[in-house]
Amino acid sequence: MPDVSDLPEPIHRLVPSPAGRTHLVEQGSGPLVLLLHGFPESWYSWRRQLPALAAAGYRAVAIDVRGYGRSSRPDDIAAYRMLELVEDNVAVVRALGEESAIVIGHDWGANIAATSALVHPDVFRAVGLLSVPYAPRGGPRPSEVFAGMGGGAEEFYVSYFQEQGRAEAEIEPDVRGWLAGIYAALSADTMPGADAGDPHFLVRGGRLRDRFPAGLPGWLSESELDVYAGEFERTGMGGALARYRNMDRDWEDLAAYDGAAIGQPSLFVGGGRDASTTWLAEAIGAYPETLPGLVGSHVLDGAGHWLQQERPVEVNGLLVEWLRQLR
């Protein structure tokens, strides 16, 4: 990998966007690479990618998605619909004085990145997806799908998050502890065994954290956890959870893109132990039709969900290799 020892420090900036303002962290110069985090994270989830991409000759920019960190947090839940987040990304590109960018996302950020490339192919000339595969819009209304998961005794986490105030009541009294639990539950080295129950589901009337393991995953230090916890203790969880509360609106808003493929050069990297990869194996298998510009698809053996933090050296290598093919 390129040498990062002589790089200038990352720069924090606030730029105008339809949300009001978007906070970003920028490092390096060259072609613009926009990095989008997932839930429950922030720009900080890209801390190990910013210097690597900058050293490789790119202008790496990680944002706080609307509702997170130092970016604006509108009160209206509908303000967090997917198309609004896409326009924030376009505004960031323009505010940075660029006409186009490569967009890379993890978790929810992967969905936001894919939709950005789908809706604005003139702005987002290539798209990288980490952990969550691209699956075109289609099928029944999402809330109906998720409501049917888990059977009578259990409830799927997405349905749980969709109910306003319910998850907040679990998380906000102990943000730091809850974050430690969700990070550990989906990390390869601390993932609970099958006998502990799937942490993506909760017993009806229970809490999601009841299935979280104790301890921190190897990729996360106490001080790094403090950074994440500090952001959510300041902002609350409502803005972050609003993404789940707009899935039906997104389904309606994106009706014109039903079944649509993304034609730009693309990359997918998933974790072999990540439910997002295994549950959506059919979507990965459909890439010849849904991502006809696919340059590479990689599943890292033994990796969990927090991919760029669990396996930064491998992920950085794959990202730089892919980016160099786009020049």
Side-chain angles (χ1 to χ4, degrees):
M1 288 297 297
D3 182 20
V4 300
S5 58
D6 296 327
L7 287 174
E9 291 296 310
I11 299 170
H12 290 254
R13 298 174 59 182
L14 293 173
V15 299
S17 67
R21 68 182 182 277
T22 294
H23 169 247
L24 60 84
V25 180
E26 176 181 1
Q27 193 168 18
S29 60
L32 177 59
V33 180
L34 190 63
L35 302 168
L36 310 177
H37 66 82
F39 175 89
E41 301 177 275
S42 72
W43 77 267
Y44 191 65
S45 66
W46 299 103
R47 64 194 177 281
R48 296 183 174 106
Q49 283 66 53
L50 286 168
L53 298 184
Y58 296 90
R59 186 182 187 185
V61 173
I63 73 168
D64 280 333
V65 173
R66 178 186 298 216
Y68 288 82
R70 289 176 241 177
S71 293
S72 291
R73 297 183 302 280
D75 292 331
D76 183 8
I77 290 177
Y80 296 87
R81 65 210 309 155
M82 181 65 75
L83 290 179
E84 296 280 357
L85 304 183
V86 167
E87 295 310 314
D88 286 346
N89 295 338
V90 174
V92 167
V93 174
R94 300 290 186 242
L96 293 174
E98 303 285 355
E99 294 298 319
S100 66
I102 299 155
V103 62
I104 300 171
H106 169 258
D107 184 78
W108 262 120
N111 286 329
I112 300 168
T115 309
S116 297
L118 188 66
V119 175
H120 288 288
D122 55 324
V123 177
F124 300 102
R125 61 187 181 91
V127 58
L129 309 174
L130 302 187
S131 297
V132 177
Y134 174 61
R137 187 264 190 208
R141 188 176 293 272
S143 61
E144 297 172 1
V145 174
F146 297 126
M149 298 178 66
E154 294 187 325
E155 182 178 10
F156 192 46
Y157 81 99
V158 173
S159 296
Y160 179 56
F161 286 168
Q162 286 177 333
E163 187 174 334
Q164 188 173 357
R166 190 173 168 209
E168 289 94 325
E170 174 186 337
I171 301 168
E172 291 180 353
D174 178 21
V175 169
R176 192 179 190 277
W178 195 90
L179 291 176
I182 191 70
Y183 297 150
L186 305 185
S187 296
D189 61 336
T190 46
M191 200 173 289
D195 58 339
D198 190 331
H200 296 89
F201 293 84
L202 64 153
V203 175
R204 292 191 184 277
R207 304 175 305 171
L208 200 62
R209 70 186 305 157
D210 291 338
R211 290 181 172 173
F212 290 169
L216 295 184
W219 58 267
L220 183 67
S221 69
E222 295 282 355
S223 62
E224 289 171 327
L225 177 60
D226 286 342
V227 174
Y228 282 123
E231 292 291 84
F232 288 111
E233 285 168 350
R234 179 173 52 81
T235 65
M237 299 299 299
L241 288 163
R243 181 83 292 277
Y244 293 93
R245 295 163 187 169
N246 278 279
M247 296 177 76
D248 282 352
R249 290 188 184 94
D250 298 339
W251 181 82
E252 295 166 357
D253 290 345
L254 295 169
Y257 297 92
D258 195 86
I262 296 174
Q264 296 98 308
S266 56
L267 172 74
F268 173 72
V269 185
R273 298 193 63 196
D274 183 6
S276 299
T277 300
T278 56
W279 286 349
L280 294 172
E282 187 174 330
I284 297 172
Y287 278 170
E289 292 75 42
T290 61
L291 292 178
L294 186 69
V295 175
S297 180
H298 311 270
V299 175
L300 304 185
D301 288 342
H305 181 68
W306 315 105
L307 202 57
Q308 76 270 32
Q309 298 178 86
E310 288 188 52
R311 306 280 278 271
V313 173
E314 290 166 84
V315 169
N316 291 350
L318 290 170
L319 291 179
V320 170
E321 179 185 9
W322 172 65
L323 288 168
R324 285 176 171 160
Q325 294 180 63
L326 303 177
R327 288 186 183 245

